Amino acid sequence: MKRQYRLWGRVERLPNGKSRAIAAASPVASGSGPLAEDIRAHLFAEVSDSRIGLAALMYELSAAVQARGDVVASFDLPRPSAR
């Protein structure tokens, strides 16, 4: 049976001046958090690079969910800040 997943992602600014893009897939029906294999993170030097990297992580995660026969039901991404 196909499971539905909600993909979400965000960019975090770290104290050392770098940033991190994080993407994850959580099952919709169970309400539980993502499994370890459904989390992707990557460290970047610039926030602008993190935004581009986040898009790549979301694409990779979406492909992984669909490759195992499950369905991506929704995407949840933050609005870009004016900064």
Side-chain angles (χ1 to χ4, degrees):
M1 184 171 160
K2 292 184 179 183
R3 293 176 58 178
Q4 292 187 348
Y5 282 82
R6 176 179 73 92
L7 270 60
W8 56 271
R10 67 176 182 259
V11 173
E12 297 177 339
R13 289 190 172 112
L14 304 175
N16 63 2
K18 295 187 179 194
S19 59
R20 175 174 50 200
I22 300 173
S26 299
V28 172
S30 70
S32 64
L35 301 172
E37 64 265 16
D38 288 336
I39 298 174
R40 308 282 193 279
H42 195 75
L43 195 61
F44 295 92
E46 300 290 329
V47 172
S48 59
D49 293 339
S50 289
R51 291 181 182 135
I52 294 167
L54 179 57
L57 291 175
M58 294 292 282
Y59 177 82
E60 175 189 323
L61 195 53
S62 175
V65 167
Q66 292 177 37
R68 63 179 180 232
D70 291 326
V71 178
V72 175
S74 65
F75 285 90
D76 183 12
L77 293 170
R79 289 180 85 105
S81 63
R83 293 191 264 173

